[in-house]
Amino acid sequence: MNNEEHFLYESNHVYSHLFKYLFLYISLISSSTAILGYFWPNIVTINNSDISVSGVGILLILSLLSLIVFFSIKNKFAHIKVNNRTISVSNPKINRQYNWEEVKSINLIPFIFPPLYKIRINDNYFIFTTDNKYIFISLGVIKDVSEMGQFMSKKAKN
């Protein structure tokens, strides 16, 4: 093959961005709700009563924690392309192809759907999604039935 290899499957861009920025959205919503509640407490209602100062504090703490989580995982989300020989990883910090021998583990993260995977390559780990084809059984058991999910399951067993 030439320099531009043919990849069989690639991760879903939409769900990758959704998961990547989820904690930033949570942080923005909770901080703006806290600010509105502080200046206009009658606008923000929790359990049929106006928000209290302690409620504002709790929302600000939630916002801060969400922001910390966002900054700690934002560079771990990657766009993955795979074929039988290589895996291509692209994120803001890295754009590289690896051989499957360099992959240490592939794990499906429980309790999260659409399916979210964690892949460990050498000393780094990356998080990526597949297509929105899954079965949610119960108590966090997710079965990825997408073509890429089946491919990743086979590679994880090897």
Side-chain angles (χ1 to χ4, degrees), residues 118-155:
K118 179 180 175 183
I119 188 166
R120 184 168 298 281
I121 302 174
N122 297 328
D123 292 333
N124 295 325
Y125 76 89
F126 302 100
I127 301 170
F128 67 97
T129 60
T130 59
D131 287 329
N132 189 16
K133 296 178 183 173
Y134 62 92
I135 299 172
F136 178 71
I137 299 171
S138 70
L139 298 174
V141 179
I142 309 273
K143 174 71 175 157
D144 188 356
V145 294
S146 68
E147 291 179 11
M148 184 177 181
Q150 299 301 314
F151 181 81
M152 297 309 274
S153 296
K154 289 177 189 173
K155 286 294 187 179

Side-chain angles (χ1 to χ4, degrees), residues 66-117:
S66 297
L67 204 57
I68 290 170
V69 170
F70 168 72
F71 282 117
S72 65
I73 67 170
K74 74 175 184 158
N75 290 326
K76 296 299 180 183
F77 281 90
H79 182 71
I80 304 287
K81 295 179 184 177
V82 294
N83 63 24
N84 288 321
R85 296 182 327 164
T86 60
I87 180 167
S88 173
V89 177
S90 299
N91 74 4
K93 295 212 174 215
I94 195 166
N95 189 6
R96 183 170 171 214
Q97 283 190 3
Y98 297 95
N99 291 324
W100 278 105
E101 292 83 31
E102 297 178 78
V103 174
K104 304 291 185 209
S105 66
I106 303 169
N107 299 29
L108 181 65
I109 299 174
F111 304 108
I112 299 176
F113 48 90
L116 192 62
Y117 286 87

Side-chain angles (χ1 to χ4, degrees), residues 26-27 29-38 44 46 51-66:
I26 291 171
S27 178
I29 290 169
S30 59
S31 63
S32 38
T33 303
I35 291 169
L36 280 173
Y38 181 77
V44 180
I46 299 174
I51 193 166
S52 63
V53 175
S54 63
V56 169
I58 290 170
L59 283 175
L60 286 174
I61 290 171
L62 176 68
S63 174
L64 181 64
L65 290 175
S66 297

